[in-house]
Amino acid sequence: PVVTFYHWVVPVWVQNPDDGTDLIAVDDHAVAEKFAAFVAHVMPAIKDDVDTFTVLNEPLSMISAAYFDNSFPPGDFLDTPKAVQFGVNLMHMQAAAYDEIKRVNPDAFVGMTMAANDVFPEDPNNAQEQLAATSIGYVYNDWFMQGMVNGDVDRDLNGRSDDSDVHAD
């Protein structure tokens, strides 16, 4: 068996569009600590039966659906600052869950499920379309992984790290 800890659904105390609660897109990482506590609660019950974990399922799908196209809670449309903060918090959640899983089962395989897409300009001779395709491809395929693998977070999505604050040991 493979356990996925976060597959696009969170409890209403984390995110509730009815009352505006949104702990996942705030500029702190408290949600990562709460997520790690959740993982710590679950792990003892499953440690003897599961050794493969995918902590997050398609983080960029979650980000885009929640903060770009209004199809997941909280239902925001084109809110790039919140989308980036959600992504940063997801990075911290992945790292915290990784540490907790490894604490309970040092031999566990821990990863995440990533969706990847090739993005091409409609007109390869159009410089603006080339730039748009390159930028979208970077955000969708590379941005999150660079944060997770290197701890390099690009908060303004310009292709350059702004800081190094995510590290999974």
Side-chain angles (χ1 to χ4, degrees), residues 25-105:
V26 295
D27 195 16
D28 68 41
H29 309 301
V31 72
E33 293 171 20
K34 292 176 191 239
F35 186 65
F38 163 70
V39 172
H41 178 76
V42 172
M43 281 301 296
I46 63 174
K47 68 180 169 111
D48 295 330
D49 299 316
V50 181
D51 63 0
T52 304
F53 300 87
T54 178
V55 175
L56 303 176
N57 182 70
E58 299 179 10
L60 265 292
S61 296
M62 291 188 279
I63 293 165
S64 63
Y67 295 100
F68 288 139
D69 74 12
N70 189 25
S71 59
F72 283 8
D76 291 350
F77 184 70
L78 296 178
D79 191 337
T80 302
K82 281 188 177 179
V84 169
Q85 190 56 54
F86 181 24
V88 171
N89 281 333
L90 285 172
M91 292 175 199
H92 282 274
M93 290 166 69
Q94 173 75 29
Y98 175 93
D99 290 344
E100 188 57 39
I101 293 165
K102 288 294 198 172
R103 182 187 67 75
V104 175
N105 182 352

Side-chain angles (χ1 to χ4, degrees), residues 14-34:
V14 174
Q15 196 172 58
N16 185 344
D18 293 335
D19 69 8
T21 299
D22 190 2
L23 302 181
I24 207 153
V26 295
D27 195 16
D28 68 41
H29 309 301
V31 72
E33 293 171 20
K34 292 176 191 239

